[in-house]
Amino acid sequence: MPVSGIARQSAAPSDPLGADALARLRSTFGLPGFRGEQEKIVRHVTDGGNCLVLMPTGGGKSLCYQLPSLLREGCGIVVSPLIALMRDQVAGLLELGVNAAVLNSTLSWEEANEVERRLRAGDLDLLYVAPERLVTPRCLAMLEQTDIALFAIDEAHCVSQWGHDFRPEYIGLSVIAERFPQIPRIALTATADDLTREEIAQRLGLTDAPRFISSFDRPNIKYEIVDKTNSQKQLQAFINERHPNDAGVVYCLSRAKVEDTAAALNKAGILALPYHAGLDARIRESNQDRFINEDGVIIVATVAFGMGIDKPDVRFVCHLDLPKSVEAYYQETGRAGRDGKPSTAWMAYGLQDIVQQRRMIDESNGSDAFKRVSIGKLDALVGLAETVDCRRGRLLRYFGEETAGTSCGNCDNCVSPPKLWNGSVAAQKLLSCAYRTGQRFGAMHLIDVLIGRLTDKVKQFGHDRLSVFAIGSELNEKQWRAVMRQLVARGFLYADAEHFNALMLTESARGVLRGEVELMFREETGRIRAPRKHARRGELASPRADNADADLVSRLRAWRAGIARERNVPAYVVLHDATIDVIASEHPTTMSQLREVPGIGDKKLEHYGANILAIVNR
Ligand code: ADP
Ligand code: ZN
């Protein structure tokens, strides 16, 4: 797996643009080298070219427009959809000593005037503008009288009417290409699908512009999908054993479940804050702020939460309910580990999830075509959840990427390959049981019959007199549930939402009953694997940080929290976790040694260098 953040230090002296870019990368951003496509993109845009950048979350998109804005004459104009995102980006840039500002509805009239004055005076390197503001005649007229380095359209997929993040105000951005054809435009997105790419290119006048496409792999995210038994207990065990004191997001489908889950976590002594559209706006905002600004806060949320959250140190994303599609799963899990450090995407999934999502599609008022597409998308995700092969490989192939090798070494199936067992006979028993009982009963009753439990319902319907009664005592209830789930997932059984989720046989079940199909099932262990000791800290992003001194890490974090509070910025804006970890393992004792740490640029050294060295040397 390629390691992120590898320095490439090859700028020939005969290449002034490359040398300038690298010098600026080091002095301002404190980074040793470019990552992946960044170098090509920076060069292209600095040279005045338009382009479309497709890079996964955490890939380092911001640098692709921030650095050219500094290298080119004039101010870089960045269009960004979310106020919180703009605020945090600008806070981060100010920390680096870059003259950055925002122009959006949160500013008073006087503040906005001052920003505009600085823009006209050539005092700004980067200006973040809300899309609805940018397209006003007044703003466009002002920009026409200003020296502009480039236009960057961040989260460019928001122009797509078919996407999940459509923002009507983004449609108006086509005006940029019309009014400023000679100024470079760079559109950026982490959305992987082809249709969206085409739509961005169309709407932003980039059909002829080159596209820089990175791999969508997120090597630092470990994918894990477990059989759902008691999701609250499983979640608590996961957090306690694997991510104690880490920041994370837990996704649930409904507001009620968000509330219940947050309450259950708090009761178990794990601090968790709820977030959903039904909460009072003030509480919702304060919960989001605490998640962003404090260390190690867990947020339990509906999918309304997350877009535009730039927090780099989210260590885990959990799903207690099945998302709608592989795209949604990828996007939501992708909010973990932007900083490149090891992170976990964990999902608990069971029969009910498939049934529930199918029902939601059936009951929606979409057209038949829409329902068919939705079912197809859901099936692809169920396939990912059921697969016994590498989950990463499956995920990437879904987005049209070829993967080298068959094992990524960083998903549950690769780390401990599931045992397979031949479930053909069990499947026949279960299908016969559903058939003999009239295809009118749900999972629980069928399991009672198979195991041979004399419940009232079994007696009432005389099912204890059927030939299938007690034919399945070799498996326990949990195992039968797993068999049932896998039969539904593979389309041999169908849960009829209109009849209390009665399990009915599909056409393809015939082949199984006749013994023509061999079915291999994964064995459910239901066990949460023990944490790998010392594996978390800096394992992938900075191998050098393995021996980080834990005591020093906590002293540096405590100091960082104080600075963040004082300056009213998120902790990561002061220093990233990755930077702290390297300091704690390298123990720099001089300013020049400290300057070598990735994330320590000129300004950070000037502001915090002495403090950091004092803490290290204490
Ligand atoms: P994106 O917008 O693509 O999600 P960001 O621009 O926020 O990603 O960058 C993600 C993280 O990667 C940030 O913590 C950033 O500091 C870091 N990063 C970006 N470029 C580099 C680089 N060349 N070397 C090391 N770290 C980098
Ligand atoms: Zn794998």
Side-chain angles (χ1 to χ4, degrees):
M1 202 55 47
V3 173
S4 46
I6 291 186
R8 272 200 289 153
Q9 316 210 340
S10 58
S14 60
D15 172 13
L17 180 55
D20 277 359
L22 203 58
R24 204 64 206 250
L25 180 70
R26 290 178 180 158
S27 62
T28 302
F29 296 89
L31 296 173
F34 288 105
R35 233 190 224 173
E37 299 285 293
Q38 277 177 337
E39 185 169 13
K40 276 191 235 155
I41 299 166
V42 166
R43 182 179 291 265
H44 178 80
V45 176
T46 307
D47 251 349
N50 299 327
C51 63
L52 175 53
V53 170
L54 304 144
M55 207 183 259
T57 305
K61 282 186 286 300
S62 357
L63 202 74
C64 298
Y65 55 81
Q66 288 172 350
L67 194 49
S69 296
L70 300 182
L71 293 168
R72 286 175 61 85
E73 285 291 304
C75 176
I77 307 292
V78 186
V79 184
S80 176
L82 285 160
I83 286 170
L85 196 106
M86 293 195 239
R87 185 191 58 200
D88 292 347
Q89 288 248 357
V90 168
L93 286 164
L94 292 174
E95 281 284 309
L96 299 175
V98 174
N99 294 317
V102 278
L103 207 46
N104 62 29
S105 57
T106 62
L107 301 192
S108 67
W109 188 79
E110 287 81 12
E111 288 168 327
N113 260 350
E114 171 61 9
V115 170
E116 291 176 4
R117 187 198 61 74
R118 290 181 64 200
L119 178 69
R120 274 192 293 262
D123 233 15
L124 289 175
D125 298 317
L126 273 154
L127 178 63
Y128 285 70
V129 187
E132 62 277 9
R133 181 122 188 178
L134 184 118
V135 300
T136 58
R138 186 168 174 278
C139 188
L140 290 169
M142 174 180 71
L143 292 177
E144 265 168 351
Q145 291 157 22
T146 311
D147 207 3
I148 298 175
L150 57 84
F151 284 98
I153 299 106
D154 204 4
E155 312 286 356
H157 58 277
C158 292
V159 301
S160 165
Q161 278 169 298
W162 306 108
H164 33 267
D165 292 328
F166 175 57
R167 294 188 165 241
E169 60 274 21
Y170 258 61
I171 296 287
L173 296 178
S174 54
V175 73
I176 298 177
E178 291 152 17
R179 294 276 286 266
F180 305 91
Q182 72 293 356
I183 295 176
R185 291 186 298 289
I186 166 171
L188 310 99
T189 178
T191 298
D193 78 277
D194 281 341
L195 271 173
T196 310
R197 293 174 190 180
E198 290 313 320
E199 218 182 335
I200 295 172
Q202 288 292 340
R203 294 205 180 269
L204 299 179
L206 294 170
T207 43
D208 297 328
R211 298 182 187 180
F212 294 96
I213 305 177
S214 304
S215 166
F216 274 70
D217 187 19
R218 302 287 311 279
N220 59 315
I221 297 183
K222 180 174 183 194
Y223 296 99
E224 293 182 33
I225 302 179
V226 304
D227 183 27
K228 190 190 279 184
T229 49
N230 177 336
S231 57
Q232 304 289 358
K233 286 248 148 48
Q234 289 172 292
L235 174 69
Q236 288 162 25
F238 168 78
I239 294 171
N240 280 330
E241 291 173 22
R242 304 277 300 282
H243 289 283
N245 310 317
D246 281 343
V249 182
V250 178
Y251 283 116
C252 302
L253 212 53
S254 68
R255 295 174 187 183
K257 191 158 170 188
V258 164
E259 295 284 355
D260 291 349
T261 305
L265 285 174
N266 286 317
K267 199 157 161 240
I270 300 169
L271 175 68
L273 306 171
Y275 186 101
H276 59 72
L279 280 175
D280 179 78
R282 268 198 326 261
I283 296 178
R284 206 169 58 216
E285 212 169 290
S286 130
N287 287 354
Q288 172 169 329
D289 283 348
R290 285 189 63 189
F291 173 71
I292 293 174
N293 294 331
E294 294 175 19
D295 265 343
V297 174
I298 294 172
I299 205 124
V300 185
T302 55
V303 290
F305 179 81
M307 182 189 167
I309 300 278
D310 235 352
K311 189 175 171 64
D313 54 356
V314 176
R315 291 275 70 85
F316 63 90
V317 169
C318 292
H319 281 96
L320 290 193
D321 293 302
L322 199 62
K324 278 197 222 7
S325 61
V326 177
E327 287 92 338
Y329 173 78
Y330 176 82
Q331 207 186 31
E332 285 150 25
T333 55
R335 291 169 185 150
R338 264 172 184 266
D339 55 7
K341 295 182 34 148
S343 307
T344 315
W346 181 91
M347 175 160 82
Y349 138 97
L351 174 63
Q352 261 330 97
D353 287 299
I354 314 176
V355 173
Q356 184 181 38
Q357 285 285 2
R358 290 239 166 103
R359 187 171 52 223
M360 281 168 58
I361 296 170
D362 281 342
E363 287 171 358
S364 75
N365 27 13
S367 65
D368 283 352
F370 173 82
K371 288 182 183 176
R372 258 198 314 281
V373 171
S374 305
I375 294 277
K377 284 181 180 282
L378 177 61
D379 284 346
L381 182 62
V382 169
L384 176 72
E386 292 290 350
T387 189
V388 293
D389 304 325
C390 176
R391 298 202 199 271
R392 184 181 314 280
R394 186 135 184 159
L395 203 52
L396 292 174
R397 280 192 301 279
Y398 181 84
F399 292 118
E401 250 181 69
E402 279 312 312
T403 51
T406 53
S407 167
C408 72
N410 197 29
C411 75
D412 50 2
N413 286 349
C414 287
V415 171
S416 41
K419 289 209 182 64
L420 295 184
W421 62 287
N422 188 328
S424 310
V425 174
Q428 285 170 351
K429 288 181 180 178
L430 201 155
L431 293 172
S432 314
C433 182
Y435 186 77
R436 297 268 171 229
T437 51
Q439 310 192 59
R440 296 192 294 136
F441 297 92
M444 198 58 232
H445 183 69
L446 295 184
I447 292 174
D448 287 340
V449 174
L450 283 166
I451 294 182
R453 285 187 188 133
L454 270 174
T455 63
D456 289 348
K457 203 166 169 185
V458 167
K459 285 190 254 176
Q460 183 194 341
F461 289 96
H463 288 163
D464 49 336
R465 296 196 301 274
L466 294 176
S467 60
V468 288
F469 184 71
I471 54 165
S473 50
E474 73 276 22
L475 300 183
N476 62 25
E477 180 182 331
K478 182 164 164 268
Q479 291 165 319
W480 277 119
R481 260 189 195 280
V483 171
M484 207 170 284
R485 190 196 74 227
Q486 297 184 67
L487 287 175
V488 172
R490 296 186 203 188
F492 297 116
L493 265 182
Y494 169 79
D496 184 357
E498 279 172 21
H499 294 100
F500 308 105
N501 294 328
L503 288 161
M504 323 222 316
L505 276 58
T506 63
E507 201 47 41
S508 56
R510 236 182 258 269
V512 179
L513 283 168
R514 285 203 212 104
E516 292 162 6
V517 183
E518 189 185 67
L519 289 174
M520 298 304 288
F521 289 144
R522 59 184 296 152
E523 201 166 273
E524 308 295 345
T525 56
R527 192 168 42 83
I528 293 187
R529 273 171 288 275
R532 285 191 293 156
K533 287 271 181 285
H534 310 301
R536 276 177 30 223
R537 185 165 296 140
E539 180 183 56
L540 283 153
S542 59
R544 294 180 301 165
D546 272 354
N547 52 349
D549 165 347
D551 176 54
L552 183 51
V553 169
S554 49
R555 277 189 283 137
L556 286 165
R557 283 190 178 202
W559 164 80
R560 177 179 69 174
I563 300 278
R565 256 195 312 276
E566 201 175 285
R567 303 177 64 100
N568 195 22
V569 295
Y572 69 80
V573 161
V574 180
L575 284 187
H576 277 191
D577 283 357
T579 304
I580 287 195
D581 284 356
V582 175
I583 296 173
S585 71
E586 307 270 289
H587 287 92
T589 50
T590 64
M591 290 293 251
S592 61
Q593 283 171 356
L594 184 59
R595 179 67 185 73
E596 292 302 306
V597 173
I600 303 283
D602 291 345
K603 274 287 173 298
K604 299 236 154 142
L605 195 70
E606 183 187 321
H607 286 154
Y608 306 130
N611 279 336
I612 294 173
L613 290 181
I615 295 169
V616 173
N617 295 328
R618 195 184 296 161

